[in-house]
Amino acid sequence: MQTKLRKIGNSRGIIIPSSIIEQIHIDNEVEMSVQDGALVLKPANSVRKGWFDNYDPSKDVEPLSEMADLESEQEDWEW
């Protein structure tokens, strides 16, 4: 398939037909690279996708909750 570059501001762009978009399963973001002189587009992989899928806030532990004040640390303070 051939297409023409179109002027978009100071850049150039192409229209990607919906049939190609569906075949490579791209949504809103793509990774673009050049390999062996060819432009390669592929779906962008979100590095943090799914991080919070199994998150349960009830299992959170307050990191400083088990920390105790030592008497020696409190001696020099004036409250």
Side-chain angles (χ1 to χ4, degrees), residues 14-32 39-46 49:
I14 60 168
I15 302 296
I16 303 171
S18 60
S19 60
I20 292 178
I21 291 173
E22 290 172 7
Q23 286 178 34
I24 61 174
H25 307 288
I26 59 176
D27 198 13
N28 289 326
E29 294 185 25
V30 296
E31 289 185 26
M32 182 170 41
L39 177 63
V40 177
L41 297 176
K42 61 183 181 178
N45 293 329
S46 177
K49 185 176 182 179

Side-chain angles (χ1 to χ4, degrees), residues 2 9 11 13-15 17 19 22-23 29 31 34-35 38 40-41 44 46 50-51 57 61 65-66 70 72-73 78:
Q2 285 190 337
S11 301
I14 60 168
I15 302 296
S19 60
E22 290 172 7
Q23 286 178 34
E29 294 185 25
E31 289 185 26
V34 177
Q35 293 177 359
V40 177
L41 297 176
S46 177
W51 272 21
V61 175
S65 65
E66 297 176 10
L70 300 175
S72 62
E73 292 176 335
E78 290 184 26

Side-chain angles (χ1 to χ4, degrees), residues 3-8 11-15 39:
T3 187
K4 292 189 178 197
L5 289 174
R6 299 168 189 246
K7 188 165 175 63
I8 302 173
S11 301
R12 300 264 177 112
I14 60 168
I15 302 296
L39 177 63

